[in-house]
Structure formats: structure tokens, C-alpha cells
Amino acid sequence: MNVEAQTVNLSVAQVKEMFLYVGKQIIENKPLLTEVDSAIGDGDHGIGMSVGFSKAEEDLSQKECKSINDIFKTIGMSMINSMGGASGVIFGTLFTGGVKKLDAKETLDLQLMADIFEKSLEAIKTRGKASLGDKTMIDALEPAVEGLKESADKPVSLLEGLKNAEEKAAEGVESSKEYVAKFGRAKSLGERAIGHQDAGATTIWIIFKSMREWLEGSAANE
Amino acid sequence: MKKVINKPESVAQETIEGFMYAYKNSHKKLENVNGITRKDLKDKVAVVIGGGSGHEPLFLGFVGEGLADGVALGNVFAAPTPNTIQEVAKAADSGKGVLFIYGNYAGDVLNFDMAVEMLEMEDVDSRTVRVSDDVASAPVERKEDRRGIAGDVFVIKIAGAAAEKGKSLDEVFEVTQKACDQTYSIGVALSPGTIPDSGEPTFTLADDEMELGMGIHGEPGMERTKIMKADKLVDRLMDTLLKESNVREGDEVSVLVNGLGSTTLMELFIANRRVARVLEEKGVNVYDMDVNSYCTTQEMGGFSITLLKLDDELKELHDATANSPYYKK
């Protein structure tokens, strides 16, 4: 195991760059998300996510973030205040929920990432009243969080941890195809929703995939 | 589908800007958010409505005397943001509290609930009524799961009238919730609408098909069938509507036949003719009928039928004066 990789700590500036990259990837994947959502929803998930991440990019570039907490909170509030729809509150909570009442942190390591997303997951479940298997973004987020936690316990490098989370999220997206929707526009589809993946879960997978890509890219540049 | 738009992401904002040029004498746009209030706000309970854009004239066109005092608008088919709702509520509140009315959709519930939490911290009192009139979306045992469709119109009308009479927040809430509980709708889709951004239809239906009970965002309904003649179609819809509602022989109702966007007034009148005759046959008294397109889904083809079961209190509020750009009484 690479000892250096184990101790990777991302600075505030690096975390900001990472999420700017994540936002770009989400915006680029707008057509995919629209297509996935159109199958069982009303097709606006990609548009909403793209609006949210564009606003997050704008706010992040204007704001001086002093801590990891600031970054997460800025992204979350940008989404809540710009997107609307269920995704605005839910994906906003993905970022605000994990840093609520958390002491200001200036570095992000695998353990902290696992802690933050674990708290976000709980906050989202409380707000949205959904659980695993309801064909929502939780179907990808919960396994991804499990992946982060397992990796942090071992421990492995941040990159390994993100790879693990990405893989688990992808499996979650796959599993979401088998579920009947309990929320949103797809709810009334009943059995007819089976066979289609959830759009929110797909976005979660892209978020973890993009974090992994950014980390790989930045590691290669160093 | 060909659309008169500029940038897809600016649709909601430009809709409001265009509306404001037309109604600047009676309406006021709030800064920085997609929210509008009446200009002549009164010292009374404020009625605040909201939802996604794309259903015009709902919700935008229902701000005025005897109706809503403010409206919070989201992007196309998406709930408004909590800060938009919060700003509209604060602007409309005279200190007597705010009644929120919106269609029962996950996104709207989440955003309005979050706005309510934020308002509590600023000592703004509020109550909420979630319109859930679509009988096709869940059985009556799960009324809390039913979607809100054209029934919004009746519920907003009753709330606006009650607030205008100077009732307290609790009283306005009570009667509005009663109206909501007594409002039942069912719709049918003949052709899809399109989301301006993608230009793609939200669902597909063959030329000879229709979907009974379909939702206003293209949510699937109860059954896809071959196209029927108007009378037979209305008979099918009324059959389900009466079965799923508590409207019975001897009851008195107000009726709304609402077009979804591309169905013409001619077709709506043809449908309304049959609705009136079915109700007559069933011994249900029709107090009032409104044939219009209030709650639309872009150019979706089809219509919905809504019944508001009246009692003396609701009847009085139903008849009260109302005046907004797209609704008059």
C-alpha cells in the first residue's frame, strides 16, 4: 500500500477545485440525466442539476471559502436557492446536511469525507422520508457512503475510498432499476417503473465518479 | 415541438417579466426572486400559492382580489425554491399570518416545508393546505398521496374569499381544508405536452390512444385505451370520478371542465355538455359550471373534470367577488 496515498489530505482550495470539476461533469451529463429521467419522470432532472451546479460554481467563485464546511454549505445553499423541485432541497441537503454543526475543517481526508456524507445521508432520509429501495438517489448514496466508511476503516487512500464509493454507487444505480418508485412523478407508474434506473441515483454516481476522476487527474499532475 | 422561447433556462423568469409588463398596475414583482404579490395588499390573512411554471395561467394568473395575495414560481414543472416562497410570504404577510396552498407533489412539499421552517424563525405564522384532488392518482384511503391538479382553482377561490372576509388564519385554514377535502378531479390525456428545454414530449401516445387519469406532468394514469367519442369518454371519466368521490345523489356541486393546453374550447364545451347530463341523470345538482383552461401542461391535449361538493359555507365563499388577470367572479 502506498503510504503517501494513505495520508492524502485535500486543502480547502483543492476541495473547491474538485467540486468545480464535479459541477462541470454534471452539466456535461445533462442529456444523459434528461434521458434517464424522461423514461419515468418528467425529464427535468438534468436541467435542475445543471441549474444548481451552475449557481454553485458562480457562488463558489465569488465567495472566499475559509473551510471545507464553507464549501459544502455554499454548494448546498446555491442548490436549494436556485433549483427548486424535490432535487433542490434533497441535493442541497447532500451538501449542507453533512457539515451542519461540524467544527470548521481545513483539510479533507477519507475519514472526514465518510463522516460528512454519512451525516448527509441521514439528513436526506429525515427530510425526504425515503429509504433504500424507494427508487431515489438514496439507492446510490447509501451504498456509496457504506463504501466510504468501509474504506476509511481499513484504511486505504482517499482515491481508493472514492473508487470504492463510485463502484458501490454504480451498483446502487443498477439496483434502482429493480425497484418500484415510492416518490416523485414515477410513483404512479407502479410496476411500470421497473427496468428503469433512478435519475437522482445516477447523479450521485456521477458525483462520486467525478470526484475520483478529479483526484486521479490531480495526482497525475503532481 | 416549436416554441416561442429564448434560452430554455430563462423561461420562468421571462414569463414573469412579460406578465409584469401587462399587469404592472395591479401587481408587484419582488426583487431577486420569481415571486409576485398584489399591489393593494390588505390587513388580512395572506394567501400564498405556488408551484412550477408551465401550467399557466395557474399559478401566476390567480393573484388578485378574493384570490391569492402572492405567488412563488419555480422553473418549468419544478417547485419554487424555499427562499422564493419565504420572500413572497414575508411580502404578503400583514401580521395576520399566511396560508400556503399548492399541489401535493414531493418537490412542492419539500420546498414549502423548508420555507415554513425558515419563516418560523422570523415569527411568521403559517398554515398549509395541499391540494390533492386527482382521484386517479391514489385511492381515497391514501388521499394524502393524491396529486393536485385543476382543483387548485376551487381551493384558491375559497381561501381567497375567506381571507377577504377577515377571518383568522385558523378559520381560513379550516374552510380551505374543507374545500380541498370536497374537491375531486379526473383527467384524460390525448397527446403530450413538451418541456421547453428538451423540446421532447413528456410521454408518447399513439394517434389512436388516450390515457385516462393521466397527471398534468404526464404522470401515468389508470388506463391506456383506444380513443373514444366524447360522450363515451366523459361517461367513463364521470363513472370513476363519482365512484372515487363522496358526491352522491342530491348533493350540490360546482363543476370545472379544464383544458390541458391544446384542446379547444369547442371540445371542452362538447365534454361539458355530457358532464352536465351525466350529473343530471345521477341526481347531482349543478350549482355552477366553469369551462376554461386554467391548469395546463403546455400543449398537452385533453381535459380534466373537477367537482367541488358545496355546503352553505362553501357556496357563499364560492360566490364571493374575485378578480385576477385570469379569473373573475
Side-chain angles (χ1 to χ4, degrees), chain A:
Chain A
M1 193 189 304
N2 183 342
V3 179
E4 243 180 46
Q6 244 192 73
T7 55
V8 165
N9 287 335
L10 299 178
S11 68
V12 174
Q14 285 174 312
V15 172
K16 186 165 155 175
E17 257 183 62
M18 179 171 77
F19 282 118
L20 288 174
Y21 176 80
V22 168
K24 278 202 189 80
Q25 297 312 303
I26 294 288
I27 294 164
E28 268 182 27
N29 277 289
K30 189 161 99 171
L32 167 73
L33 293 174
T34 300
E35 188 193 317
V36 167
D37 190 31
S38 293
I40 49 173
D42 55 21
D44 68 348
H45 182 72
I47 302 163
M49 291 311 305
S50 156
V51 166
F53 273 106
S54 302
K55 185 72 168 73
E57 185 190 351
E58 185 189 326
D59 291 350
L60 276 179
S61 55
Q62 279 170 8
K63 199 178 159 186
E64 195 202 339
C65 291
K66 291 202 174 69
S67 63
I68 305 294
N69 314 48
D70 281 348
I71 295 173
F72 274 83
K73 207 180 149 201
T74 303
I75 299 171
M77 287 317 292
S78 307
M79 292 181 141
I80 290 171
N81 289 336
S82 68
M83 286 169 63
S87 333
V89 175
I90 294 299
F91 279 86
T93 304
L94 175 68
F95 290 95
T96 59
V99 295
K100 209 172 171 182
K101 293 182 185 149
L102 178 77
D103 295 337
K105 305 281 183 190
E106 284 170 22
T107 53
L108 180 65
D109 59 14
L110 180 57
Q111 184 63 53
L112 182 59
M113 188 177 273
D115 291 347
I116 289 177
F117 282 112
E118 186 179 14
K119 272 182 71 187
S120 307
L121 174 66
E122 286 316 308
I124 289 167
K125 283 177 147 183
T126 307
R127 198 173 276 292
K129 298 173 182 74
S131 30
L132 195 71
D134 288 347
K135 211 177 187 91
T136 70
M137 56 94 88
I138 289 170
D139 295 338
L141 182 60
E142 190 158 312
V145 168
E146 282 307 314
L148 288 177
K149 279 165 64 186
E150 276 169 25
S151 308
D153 287 346
K154 275 182 184 167
V156 295
S157 69
L158 180 60
L159 181 59
E160 281 303 313
L162 281 175
K163 274 185 185 165
N164 198 5
E166 176 192 347
E167 207 170 289
K168 291 261 165 73
E171 286 166 16
V173 171
E174 210 39 48
S175 314
S176 76
K177 289 183 183 170
E178 304 310 312
Y179 303 141
V180 172
K182 296 254 175 65
F183 292 90
R185 313 262 195 261
K187 188 170 78 172
S188 45
L189 270 174
E191 302 279 319
R192 284 198 270 172
I194 292 176
H196 298 282
Q197 72 200 56
D198 180 68
T202 309
T203 294
I204 290 290
W205 165 67
I206 297 171
I207 290 175
F208 281 97
K209 176 173 175 278
S210 309
M211 287 198 278
R212 189 265 302 159
E213 280 172 8
W214 179 85
L215 199 62
E216 265 180 353
S218 81
N221 292 335
E222 274 167 19

Side-chain angles (χ1 to χ4, degrees), chain B residues 13-88:
Chain B
Q13 198 190 325
E14 292 180 2
T15 302
I16 292 170
E17 285 167 11
F19 176 90
M20 279 313 300
Y21 279 110
Y23 299 105
K24 63 180 190 301
N25 295 332
S26 52
H27 289 64
K28 200 176 127 192
K29 159 93 168 68
L30 303 183
E31 271 178 50
N32 302 323
V33 294
N34 286 337
I36 285 173
T37 63
R38 286 164 74 172
K39 232 178 195 172
D40 61 334
L41 285 164
K42 294 184 184 159
D43 184 22
K44 64 172 194 68
V45 167
V47 175
V48 171
I49 59 175
S53 301
H55 301 299
E56 288 71 24
L58 206 66
F59 292 87
L60 189 56
F62 284 74
V63 174
E65 184 197 0
L67 295 162
D69 299 289
V71 59
L73 290 152
N75 292 322
V76 177
F77 302 164
T81 62
N83 56 320
T84 302
I85 299 162
Q86 190 188 15
E87 291 305 316
V88 173

Side-chain angles (χ1 to χ4, degrees), chain B residues 9 14-15 80 88 92 107 181 219 227 249:
Chain B
E9 60 273 24
E14 292 180 2
T15 302
V88 173
D181 292 340
E219 298 96 327
I227 195 137
E249 190 178 344

Side-chain angles (χ1 to χ4, degrees), chain B residues 215-264:
Chain B
I216 55 168
H217 308 95
E219 298 96 327
M222 307 170 304
E223 195 190 334
R224 191 165 281 204
T225 67
K226 291 285 172 201
I227 195 137
M228 293 173 234
K229 301 272 189 211
D231 285 0
K232 197 177 162 208
L233 170 60
V234 169
D235 287 353
R236 278 292 300 277
L237 293 173
M238 289 303 292
D239 195 38
T240 308
L241 186 57
L242 289 169
K243 204 179 289 165
E244 295 291 331
S245 74
N246 74 346
V247 173
R248 301 284 174 263
E249 190 178 344
D251 285 341
E252 195 163 31
V253 294
S254 183
V255 182
L256 167 63
V257 171
N258 172 71
L260 296 177
S262 74
T263 296
T264 64

